[in-house]
Amino acid sequence: MAPRTTQILEAAARLIARRGVRGLRVEELAAEAGVSTGLIYYHFKDRTGILRHTLEFISNRAERYTTGRDPEAEPLAPREELEETLLQELQDTPEVRENSSAWGELRASAVFDPVLREDLARATLVWVQEVAALLGQVQPMTPAPALAAAGERLTALLEGLSMRWLSGGTQLDHARDLLRGAIDAELALLRRT
Amino acid sequence: MAPRTTQILEAAARLIARRGVRGLRVEELAAEAGVSTGLIYYHFKDRTGILRHTLEFISNRAERYTTGRDPEAEPLAPREELEETLLQELQDTPEVRENSSAWGELRASAVFDPVLREDLARATLVWVQEVAALLGQVQPMTPAPALAAAGERLTALLEGLSMRWLSGGTQLDHARDLLRGAIDAELALLRRT
DNA sequence: GTCTATAACGGGATAGAC
DNA sequence: GTCTATCCCGTTATAGAC
């Protein structure tokens, strides 16, 4: 990917986090990225193309910051790794805020835009499986379907909590507590399976 | 509320469910409601006014269909009532689909539109408290904060699952199973409190 | 690949008659 | 309260030069 494209996609992620998919103006994107509108259409064809590529860009980036841990640090216990992975999405840093609000926007847009659905479903699946794998490390010997279900619930809950946080209804700390509680509940359930 | 306004709001709910908040065109709304655009602006002032009132309309309607049960039928056991109340939001009927997708849209819009936040927060609170009360009937003697937390988690999860359903990532039946599982998990947790 | 300039259009909002 | 007609602005998208 050319440096210019990356630069545009970074700007798009920033802007979507700030104004939403609905508020994204191509001209504003051009200004934010320091390029012309013409160049954007040259690279991404149309508005939907911009959104599609931004979704892809965002989910790649999320994988990176989820996976990437300081190699110096001692490896975490499975339980801590699970918790940390999930709680990482509930932090008030620019990058997380960007990813979360862009993700929420794209999820909402996908309801009405079939073009976005496939990419979104794929990215979701990857995420669910990652969480399910972590759950499996905490509770080995658990049947795969139970792990998958718990992974789906935890990630769906996380999306719900993110939206409430971003839309101002729920304080960040509170959302984090709620998520921790859900992890407890799910692990307790798995233990009984 | 005048019959005309209701008629317009019903049309708005339908249209938002079909096209999204972003896709809502005032002119199209007028056609759908069988009135003129002028009348819409007369009643609701501007586009945001339409959205605000539609949100209110939708959450009132949701309360109604949640609360309203055939008085002939025998009263449900608390556990069944809880489950039914929550699962009612995961049904493939026009009314539920409308409410859910409009709700999701408004939630997503509120992230970038402060005007919508207050109403949304209030409507959410009512809903959470209703679920918490039902949980309290299933598990009496549970401390209120634990009930509130479980209520918040279940409703947030439900929002997350709804979005996945509507955006095509998760089958309806599967979403319902996942929700039932979460109810189990939460009740098990409450029992240990 | 990148820019500037502009075409083309959609859609929010209002004025004024009835 | 309700309608018709219309203004006008913001936005997407393209043409064409460099």
Side-chain angles (χ1 to χ4, degrees), chain B residues 24-26 41 47:
Chain B
L24 181 71
R25 304 284 164 252
V26 179
Y41 284 101
R47 199 173 178 283

PDB file of all heavy atoms in Angstrom, chain B residues 24-26 41 47, chain C residues 10-14:
ATOM      1  N   LEU B  24     -32.540   8.877   5.984  1.00  0.00           N
ATOM      2  CA  LEU B  24     -33.876   9.470   6.100  1.00  0.00           C
ATOM      3  C   LEU B  24     -33.959  10.787   5.327  1.00  0.00           C
ATOM      4  O   LEU B  24     -33.253  11.739   5.625  1.00  0.00           O
ATOM      5  CB  LEU B  24     -34.216   9.733   7.572  1.00  0.00           C
ATOM      6  CG  LEU B  24     -35.608  10.336   7.809  1.00  0.00           C
ATOM      7  CD1 LEU B  24     -36.697   9.309   7.527  1.00  0.00           C
ATOM      8  CD2 LEU B  24     -35.744  10.860   9.226  1.00  0.00           C
ATOM      9  N   ARG B  25     -34.813  10.819   4.312  1.00  0.00           N
ATOM     10  CA  ARG B  25     -35.012  12.037   3.526  1.00  0.00           C
ATOM     11  C   ARG B  25     -36.363  12.611   3.894  1.00  0.00           C
ATOM     12  O   ARG B  25     -37.375  11.885   3.871  1.00  0.00           O
ATOM     13  CB  ARG B  25     -35.011  11.715   2.034  1.00  0.00           C
ATOM     14  CG  ARG B  25     -33.785  11.004   1.544  1.00  0.00           C
ATOM     15  CD  ARG B  25     -32.590  11.911   1.396  1.00  0.00           C
ATOM     16  NE  ARG B  25     -31.352  11.161   1.295  1.00  0.00           N
ATOM     17  CZ  ARG B  25     -30.434  11.094   2.244  1.00  0.00           C
ATOM     18  NH1 ARG B  25     -30.598  11.694   3.411  1.00  0.00           N
ATOM     19  NH2 ARG B  25     -29.330  10.413   2.064  1.00  0.00           N
ATOM     20  N   VAL B  26     -36.362  13.871   4.178  1.00  0.00           N
ATOM     21  CA  VAL B  26     -37.603  14.490   4.623  1.00  0.00           C
ATOM     22  C   VAL B  26     -38.690  14.356   3.555  1.00  0.00           C
ATOM     23  O   VAL B  26     -39.846  14.072   3.865  1.00  0.00           O
ATOM     24  CB  VAL B  26     -37.381  15.967   4.987  1.00  0.00           C
ATOM     25  CG1 VAL B  26     -38.688  16.591   5.433  1.00  0.00           C
ATOM     26  CG2 VAL B  26     -36.347  16.079   6.083  1.00  0.00           C
ATOM     27  N   TYR B  41     -42.124  20.145   8.662  1.00  0.00           N
ATOM     28  CA  TYR B  41     -41.334  21.210   9.282  1.00  0.00           C
ATOM     29  C   TYR B  41     -42.193  22.037  10.235  1.00  0.00           C
ATOM     30  O   TYR B  41     -41.713  22.548  11.244  1.00  0.00           O
ATOM     31  CB  TYR B  41     -40.685  22.093   8.217  1.00  0.00           C
ATOM     32  CG  TYR B  41     -39.496  21.418   7.592  1.00  0.00           C
ATOM     33  CD1 TYR B  41     -39.588  20.799   6.350  1.00  0.00           C
ATOM     34  CD2 TYR B  41     -38.284  21.359   8.261  1.00  0.00           C
ATOM     35  CE1 TYR B  41     -38.510  20.147   5.783  1.00  0.00           C
ATOM     36  CE2 TYR B  41     -37.196  20.719   7.710  1.00  0.00           C
ATOM     37  CZ  TYR B  41     -37.308  20.110   6.462  1.00  0.00           C
ATOM     38  OH  TYR B  41     -36.239  19.468   5.914  1.00  0.00           O
ATOM     39  N   ARG B  47     -34.867  18.754  10.916  1.00  0.00           N
ATOM     40  CA  ARG B  47     -34.569  17.323  10.812  1.00  0.00           C
ATOM     41  C   ARG B  47     -34.278  16.706  12.173  1.00  0.00           C
ATOM     42  O   ARG B  47     -34.746  15.607  12.493  1.00  0.00           O
ATOM     43  CB  ARG B  47     -33.362  17.165   9.873  1.00  0.00           C
ATOM     44  CG  ARG B  47     -33.207  15.790   9.308  1.00  0.00           C
ATOM     45  CD  ARG B  47     -32.114  15.753   8.257  1.00  0.00           C
ATOM     46  NE  ARG B  47     -31.955  14.398   7.766  1.00  0.00           N
ATOM     47  CZ  ARG B  47     -31.339  13.441   8.423  1.00  0.00           C
ATOM     48  NH1 ARG B  47     -30.814  13.688   9.598  1.00  0.00           N
ATOM     49  NH2 ARG B  47     -31.240  12.230   7.913  1.00  0.00           N
TER      50      ARG B  47
ATOM     51  P    DG C  10     -30.217  13.598  -8.026  1.00  0.00           P
ATOM     52  OP1  DG C  10     -30.351  12.249  -8.597  1.00  0.00           O
ATOM     53  OP2  DG C  10     -31.209  14.655  -8.358  1.00  0.00           O
ATOM     54  O5'  DG C  10     -30.131  13.444  -6.454  1.00  0.00           O
ATOM     55  C5'  DG C  10     -28.863  13.223  -5.843  1.00  0.00           C
ATOM     56  C4'  DG C  10     -28.876  13.814  -4.462  1.00  0.00           C
ATOM     57  O4'  DG C  10     -28.603  15.236  -4.497  1.00  0.00           O
ATOM     58  C3'  DG C  10     -30.217  13.648  -3.751  1.00  0.00           C
ATOM     59  O3'  DG C  10     -29.949  13.137  -2.463  1.00  0.00           O
ATOM     60  C2'  DG C  10     -30.818  15.070  -3.731  1.00  0.00           C
ATOM     61  C1'  DG C  10     -29.579  15.961  -3.770  1.00  0.00           C
ATOM     62  N9   DG C  10     -29.753  17.227  -4.473  1.00  0.00           N
ATOM     63  C8   DG C  10     -30.346  17.403  -5.702  1.00  0.00           C
ATOM     64  N7   DG C  10     -30.336  18.651  -6.088  1.00  0.00           N
ATOM     65  C5   DG C  10     -29.694  19.328  -5.060  1.00  0.00           C
ATOM     66  C6   DG C  10     -29.383  20.706  -4.929  1.00  0.00           C
ATOM     67  O6   DG C  10     -29.621  21.624  -5.702  1.00  0.00           O
ATOM     68  N1   DG C  10     -28.726  20.968  -3.731  1.00  0.00           N
ATOM     69  C2   DG C  10     -28.410  20.027  -2.777  1.00  0.00           C
ATOM     70  N2   DG C  10     -27.784  20.463  -1.678  1.00  0.00           N
ATOM     71  N3   DG C  10     -28.696  18.741  -2.892  1.00  0.00           N
ATOM     72  C4   DG C  10     -29.337  18.465  -4.064  1.00  0.00           C
ATOM     73  P    DG C  11     -31.041  12.493  -1.585  1.00  0.00           P
ATOM     74  OP1  DG C  11     -30.397  11.450  -0.777  1.00  0.00           O
ATOM     75  OP2  DG C  11     -32.210  12.192  -2.431  1.00  0.00           O
ATOM     76  O5'  DG C  11     -31.385  13.714  -0.618  1.00  0.00           O
ATOM     77  C5'  DG C  11     -30.339  14.308   0.118  1.00  0.00           C
ATOM     78  C4'  DG C  11     -30.765  15.642   0.656  1.00  0.00           C
ATOM     79  O4'  DG C  11     -30.855  16.618  -0.405  1.00  0.00           O
ATOM     80  C3'  DG C  11     -32.154  15.618   1.312  1.00  0.00           C
ATOM     81  O3'  DG C  11     -32.025  16.226   2.552  1.00  0.00           O
ATOM     82  C2'  DG C  11     -33.016  16.473   0.369  1.00  0.00           C
ATOM     83  C1'  DG C  11     -31.966  17.445  -0.140  1.00  0.00           C
ATOM     84  N9   DG C  11     -32.330  18.112  -1.370  1.00  0.00           N
ATOM     85  C8   DG C  11     -32.983  17.572  -2.447  1.00  0.00           C
ATOM     86  N7   DG C  11     -33.176  18.435  -3.412  1.00  0.00           N
ATOM     87  C5   DG C  11     -32.612  19.610  -2.943  1.00  0.00           C
ATOM     88  C6   DG C  11     -32.508  20.885  -3.541  1.00  0.00           C
ATOM     89  O6   DG C  11     -32.919  21.238  -4.650  1.00  0.00           O
ATOM     90  N1   DG C  11     -31.852  21.797  -2.714  1.00  0.00           N
ATOM     91  C2   DG C  11     -31.357  21.513  -1.467  1.00  0.00           C
ATOM     92  N2   DG C  11     -30.754  22.510  -0.813  1.00  0.00           N
ATOM     93  N3   DG C  11     -31.454  20.321  -0.892  1.00  0.00           N
ATOM     94  C4   DG C  11     -32.087  19.421  -1.677  1.00  0.00           C
ATOM     95  P    DG C  12     -32.946  15.898   3.750  1.00  0.00           P
ATOM     96  OP1  DG C  12     -32.334  14.838   4.557  1.00  0.00           O
ATOM     97  OP2  DG C  12     -34.320  15.748   3.242  1.00  0.00           O
ATOM     98  O5'  DG C  12     -32.824  17.271   4.562  1.00  0.00           O
ATOM     99  C5'  DG C  12     -31.533  17.750   4.885  1.00  0.00           C
ATOM    100  C4'  DG C  12     -31.567  19.241   5.063  1.00  0.00           C
ATOM    101  O4'  DG C  12     -31.837  19.882   3.796  1.00  0.00           O
ATOM    102  C3'  DG C  12     -32.629  19.745   6.031  1.00  0.00           C
ATOM    103  O3'  DG C  12     -32.073  20.758   6.843  1.00  0.00           O
ATOM    104  C2'  DG C  12     -33.735  20.286   5.118  1.00  0.00           C
ATOM    105  C1'  DG C  12     -32.952  20.737   3.899  1.00  0.00           C
ATOM    106  N9   DG C  12     -33.680  20.621   2.633  1.00  0.00           N
ATOM    107  C8   DG C  12     -34.275  19.494   2.139  1.00  0.00           C
ATOM    108  N7   DG C  12     -34.840  19.683   0.973  1.00  0.00           N
ATOM    109  C5   DG C  12     -34.599  21.018   0.683  1.00  0.00           C
ATOM    110  C6   DG C  12     -34.967  21.796  -0.452  1.00  0.00           C
ATOM    111  O6   DG C  12     -35.600  21.449  -1.455  1.00  0.00           O
ATOM    112  N1   DG C  12     -34.523  23.107  -0.348  1.00  0.00           N
ATOM    113  C2   DG C  12     -33.808  23.613   0.716  1.00  0.00           C
ATOM    114  N2   DG C  12     -33.479  24.899   0.640  1.00  0.00           N
ATOM    115  N3   DG C  12     -33.456  22.898   1.781  1.00  0.00           N
ATOM    116  C4   DG C  12     -33.885  21.609   1.701  1.00  0.00           C
ATOM    117  P    DA C  13     -32.870  21.232   8.117  1.00  0.00           P
ATOM    118  OP1  DA C  13     -31.895  21.762   9.076  1.00  0.00           O
ATOM    119  OP2  DA C  13     -33.842  20.200   8.520  1.00  0.00           O
ATOM    120  O5'  DA C  13     -33.677  22.463   7.505  1.00  0.00           O
ATOM    121  C5'  DA C  13     -32.922  23.559   6.988  1.00  0.00           C
ATOM    122  C4'  DA C  13     -33.833  24.480   6.224  1.00  0.00           C
ATOM    123  O4'  DA C  13     -34.351  23.819   5.060  1.00  0.00           O
ATOM    124  C3'  DA C  13     -35.063  24.979   6.987  1.00  0.00           C
ATOM    125  O3'  DA C  13     -34.868  26.352   7.286  1.00  0.00           O
ATOM    126  C2'  DA C  13     -36.235  24.747   6.039  1.00  0.00           C
ATOM    127  C1'  DA C  13     -35.542  24.468   4.710  1.00  0.00           C
ATOM    128  N9   DA C  13     -36.275  23.573   3.809  1.00  0.00           N
ATOM    129  C8   DA C  13     -36.588  22.257   4.021  1.00  0.00           C
ATOM    130  N7   DA C  13     -37.244  21.696   3.028  1.00  0.00           N
ATOM    131  C5   DA C  13     -37.377  22.714   2.092  1.00  0.00           C
ATOM    132  C6   DA C  13     -37.976  22.774   0.819  1.00  0.00           C
ATOM    133  N6   DA C  13     -38.578  21.730   0.255  1.00  0.00           N
ATOM    134  N1   DA C  13     -37.928  23.956   0.154  1.00  0.00           N
ATOM    135  C2   DA C  13     -37.320  24.995   0.731  1.00  0.00           C
ATOM    136  N3   DA C  13     -36.714  25.065   1.924  1.00  0.00           N
ATOM    137  C4   DA C  13     -36.784  23.878   2.558  1.00  0.00           C
ATOM    138  P    DT C  14     -35.961  27.165   8.088  1.00  0.00           P
ATOM    139  OP1  DT C  14     -35.230  28.191   8.867  1.00  0.00           O
ATOM    140  OP2  DT C  14     -36.877  26.221   8.749  1.00  0.00           O
ATOM    141  O5'  DT C  14     -36.743  27.912   6.928  1.00  0.00           O
ATOM    142  C5'  DT C  14     -35.996  28.594   5.936  1.00  0.00           C
ATOM    143  C4'  DT C  14     -36.937  29.281   4.951  1.00  0.00           C
ATOM    144  O4'  DT C  14     -37.461  28.317   4.009  1.00  0.00           O
ATOM    145  C3'  DT C  14     -38.152  29.974   5.569  1.00  0.00           C
ATOM    146  O3'  DT C  14     -38.300  31.234   4.925  1.00  0.00           O
ATOM    147  C2'  DT C  14     -39.311  29.048   5.215  1.00  0.00           C
ATOM    148  C1'  DT C  14     -38.857  28.510   3.875  1.00  0.00           C
ATOM    149  N1   DT C  14     -39.439  27.199   3.495  1.00  0.00           N
ATOM    150  C2   DT C  14     -39.971  27.035   2.234  1.00  0.00           C
ATOM    151  O2   DT C  14     -39.990  27.904   1.404  1.00  0.00           O
ATOM    152  N3   DT C  14     -40.473  25.782   1.988  1.00  0.00           N
ATOM    153  C4   DT C  14     -40.498  24.713   2.859  1.00  0.00           C
ATOM    154  O4   DT C  14     -40.977  23.636   2.519  1.00  0.00           O
ATOM    155  C5   DT C  14     -39.929  24.958   4.163  1.00  0.00           C
ATOM    156  C7   DT C  14     -39.917  23.853   5.176  1.00  0.00           C
ATOM    157  C6   DT C  14     -39.431  26.162   4.424  1.00  0.00           C
TER     158       DT C  14
END
